[in-house]
Amino acid sequence: AQTVTQSQPEMSVQEAETVTLSCTYDTSESNYYLFWYKQPPSRQMILVIRQEAYKQQNATENRFSVNFQKAAKSFSLKISDSQLGDTAMYFCAFMNPRGNSNYQLIWGAGTKLIIKP
Amino acid sequence: GAGVSQSPRYKVAKRGQDVALRCDPISGHVSLFWYQQALGQGPEFLTYFQNEAQLDKSGLPSDRFFAERPEGSVSTLKIQRTQQEDSAVYLCASSEGQFRNQPQHFGDGTRLSIL
C-alpha cells in the first residue's frame, strides 16, 4: 500500500526566510502524481503545487518550488521569501493513476508551518 | 458558484442520531470527492463520484456511511446511528474533469461533533 510520511509536525521561521518541508512516500509504481496542499486556519484546502512523476523537471509556482527525487521517493516543498500568509498546515499527497477507479489521494499527516513577524 | 460550498459548517448530534452533510460542488465539475479529517491528521478518502456514478466507495468506514449524488451535482453524505468516533471534519472536493491529475477544489468542511 502507498504511504506518505511528513516527518516534521511543526516548523517555525521568520518572515522572509526560506523554509523546506519534507515529504517521503512509498510506492512500487513508476508513474504517479504528487501534490502539496495548504490548509490555513480557516480550513479550506488549497492546492499549492503538483508534480508528475514522469517529469524530471521540478515544478515551480512563484515562491513555491519542489525538490522531487524519484529514486529516493522524496518530494520536499521549498517556500522562498516566506510571508505571514504562508502560515498554515501543509499536506503532501500522492495519487496513483492506475486502475479504473483509483482516484484516491493518499495524504501525509501534515506539517504546521508558522511564519513569525 | 464561486467555490465548493458545504453545509452545515458545524453539526452537533447525539450518539445514535442520523446526520446528513451537504456539498455543492463548483458548477460543471464532473468529479466529486468526500474526505474525513480527524483532528491533527491529514484527510482520508471516503468516496468518489463521476457525475452521478459512485465509482469508488472503498474508503467508507462502515455501512452506516452512505453518499449519493443523484443528479450529478449536489452530493449528500449521510451517517446513520452516529458514533463518537465519527467526530471529524468532513471535506468535500470537486474537480473539473475525470482526469486524475486535475486539482481538487475543497470546501470549508463540516465539523461534526458526536456527543
Side-chain angles (χ1 to χ4, degrees):
Chain A
Q2 291 98 357
T3 57
V4 176
T5 302
Q6 293 180 249
S7 59
Q8 305 149 313
E10 184 169 325
M11 295 187 70
S12 179
V13 299
Q14 294 293 136
E15 191 176 8
E17 288 184 347
T18 294
V19 59
T20 298
L21 310 183
S22 66
C23 172
T24 58
Y25 55 94
D26 187 24
T27 184
S28 59
E29 300 293 334
S30 60
N31 191 26
Y32 44 86
Y33 304 111
L34 293 162
F35 306 83
W36 276 100
Y37 278 87
K38 166 185 178 181
Q39 189 175 41
S42 64
R43 291 211 314 272
Q44 188 170 72
M45 197 81 73
I46 304 166
L47 177 67
V48 174
I49 200 165
R50 60 180 166 175
Q51 175 83 40
E52 298 177 36
Y54 67 88
K55 291 185 176 179
Q56 294 186 344
Q57 187 173 8
N58 288 326
T60 299
E61 290 286 343
N62 300 312
R63 296 183 296 108
F64 298 87
S65 62
V66 298
N67 182 4
F68 173 48
Q69 309 218 346
K70 191 172 184 180
K73 296 179 183 175
S74 171
F75 182 60
S76 61
L77 174 71
K78 186 171 85 170
I79 306 174
S80 303
D81 185 26
S82 58
Q83 301 174 359
L84 296 179
D86 296 333
T87 294
M89 285 290 292
Y90 285 81
F91 293 95
C92 178
F94 167 99
M95 178 180 280
N96 172 12
R98 291 182 61 181
N100 290 331
S101 61
N102 190 357
Y103 292 82
Q104 295 187 27
L105 273 172
I106 311 299
W107 299 77
T111 295
K112 183 177 182 179
L113 177 64
I114 300 170
I115 309 298
K116 297 181 290 186
Chain B
V4 177
S5 177
Q6 291 187 246
S7 60
R9 187 75 185 264
Y10 303 92
K11 176 69 178 178
V12 179
K14 292 182 179 179
R15 187 163 52 104
Q17 288 183 329
D18 298 349
V19 298
L21 313 180
R22 177 188 169 102
C23 174
D24 266 288
I26 293 173
S27 179
H29 276 198
V30 168
S31 297
L32 186 144
F33 307 80
W34 283 100
Y35 295 90
Q36 181 188 61
Q37 186 176 21
L39 188 64
Q41 300 294 318
E44 290 196 8
F45 171 84
L46 292 177
T47 187
Y48 164 69
F49 289 87
Q50 191 176 105
N51 296 307
E52 69 279 3
Q54 189 175 21
L55 296 190
D56 189 346
K57 56 181 181 179
S58 62
L60 296 176
S62 77
D63 58 7
R64 298 184 296 103
F65 286 71
F66 172 76
E68 59 182 5
R69 194 186 185 196
E71 297 179 0
S73 178
V74 171
S75 178
T76 303
L77 176 67
K78 297 178 180 177
I79 309 173
Q80 297 176 324
R81 305 180 304 281
T82 52
Q83 303 294 317
Q84 284 193 322
E85 62 262 28
D86 300 335
S87 295
V89 174
Y90 290 84
L91 297 173
C92 176
S94 69
S95 64
E96 187 173 0
Q98 59 186 20
F99 299 105
R100 295 171 173 90
N101 65 331
Q102 289 180 320
Q104 296 183 21
H105 302 268
F106 285 79
D108 288 339
T110 294
R111 182 179 295 277
L112 176 64
S113 298
I114 306 299
L115 304 178

